Amino acid sequence: MGKKVTLDANGVYYRQLNEQIREAVRNGADEIELLNVRGQRYIGNAIDKPVRFTVNGVPGQDMAAFMRGAFIRVEGNAQDGVANTMDDGQIEINGMAGDVLGYGMRGGRVMVKQDVGYRVGIHMKAYMDKSPVIVAGGKAGDFLGEYMAGGAIILLGMDSTMPVETPITGRSLGTGMHGGVIYIRGDVPEYQLGPGLSFHPLEDEDIAFIRKHVEDWASAFGKDADEVMAGTFRKVQPFSKRPYGNMYVGTN
């Protein structure tokens, strides 16, 4: 039988809260519930055991940075920097997430019910046999997938708090992207693509990949996967293996 620990974060400074979390993990806890979280930073950082966290409230910046194998469910919104350089594990955010979600992420999966901020997936990369995935149910700010080198981002544009007329994704989509793939449900004007990118036709394996993650997202947040899959998806990737090669090496 697993060991569950409940910690009340009300009025607790982030350093003390994280020490309480580390102590609970050292003492064999495999389930940790945090109550009254109000902006405490670094929750779940570098946890390398399959601990299940439930975070009630709004965690602060850099939640799950360098995490390797834990599961975190946030019942609320999350601030900036979630999953910074995350190596493995899963995060579910039952709300919105802020900027630079998944910075340098190299494994695991993050699922967000609603909108995400700016520069989501920046520098995301595949690492050895790992390939990170971000699924967001709402809309995204500018520079989605900036400098992306691997992994996948799936943006659904459905469960959004933004005005209806707000584009699904902001400006400069995938600027500097040279690997990985971005799938967007809905229409994206070509002028929003960053330099070196283009739309690609969906293959059967793309549809199977999207469906797998959409089904998990729908299960996590009480949505209808078939309704999501009934929409039209666009696939965004660099137009070549070296989309910026001619910027550094002269061509004839």
Side-chain angles (χ1 to χ4, degrees):
M1 184 175 179
K3 178 180 178 181
K4 179 177 179 179
V5 172
T6 300
L7 300 174
D8 190 347
N10 187 31
V12 180
Y13 190 51
Y14 78 92
R15 290 181 179 174
Q16 280 69 48
L17 179 62
N18 284 303
E19 180 51 41
Q20 291 175 25
I21 291 170
R22 287 191 290 269
E23 182 179 5
V25 173
R26 286 194 297 268
N27 290 335
D30 55 13
E31 185 176 353
I32 298 175
E33 183 172 14
L34 303 179
L35 307 176
N36 302 309
V37 174
R38 296 186 177 94
Q40 286 93 340
R41 293 172 279 176
Y42 310 138
I43 291 172
N45 279 17
I47 298 294
D48 59 358
K49 294 179 173 59
V51 181
R52 293 183 66 89
F53 290 85
T54 302
V55 179
N56 296 286
V58 180
Q61 294 182 352
D62 283 319
M63 183 186 76
F66 309 107
M67 191 174 80
R68 301 190 299 276
F71 172 93
I72 298 179
R73 169 84 178 194
V74 178
E75 296 296 349
N77 300 326
Q79 293 183 6
D80 300 341
V82 171
N84 181 347
T85 323
M86 180 171 130
D87 187 64
D88 203 356
Q90 177 154 309
I91 300 169
E92 296 176 359
I93 299 172
N94 193 15
M96 299 180 289
D99 299 339
V100 292
L101 169 73
Y103 180 97
M105 184 180 170
R106 57 188 185 180
R109 181 170 65 174
V110 179
M111 297 194 297
V112 182
K113 180 183 178 185
Q114 296 177 309
D115 302 316
V116 292
Y118 294 84
R119 290 191 156 91
V120 168
I122 180 174
H123 286 299
M124 197 164 80
K125 59 183 70 68
Y127 175 70
M128 298 181 70
D129 61 340
K130 298 175 181 177
S131 187
V133 177
I134 295 174
V135 185
K139 299 178 181 181
D142 297 342
F143 297 102
L144 177 69
E146 185 179 29
Y147 304 124
M148 189 173 167
I153 297 173
I154 303 173
L155 185 66
L156 303 178
M158 298 181 69
D159 197 343
S160 178
T161 63
M162 298 183 189
V164 174
E165 63 272 15
T166 302
I168 296 172
T169 181
R171 298 169 298 173
S172 303
L173 170 65
T175 295
M177 180 181 178
H178 53 279
V181 60
I182 300 173
Y183 300 106
I184 298 178
R185 183 185 186 275
D187 185 45
V188 180
E190 194 156 357
Y191 70 81
Q192 286 187 270
L193 299 185
L197 303 186
S198 61
F199 293 113
H200 295 250
L202 285 174
E203 308 290 344
D204 289 344
E205 55 265 33
D206 294 307
I207 296 171
F209 179 87
I210 294 169
R211 175 169 284 280
K212 174 186 182 301
H213 293 287
V214 162
E215 287 178 348
D216 290 346
W217 176 87
S219 176
F221 303 118
K223 300 295 184 179
D224 185 340
D226 289 334
E227 179 185 350
V228 179
M229 293 303 299
T232 300
F233 285 84
R234 306 296 303 272
K235 177 181 178 181
V236 179
Q237 283 184 309
F239 61 70
S240 73
K241 296 291 185 182
R242 298 183 68 244
Y244 310 103
N246 62 358
M247 297 177 65
Y248 305 101
V249 179
T251 57
N252 294 325

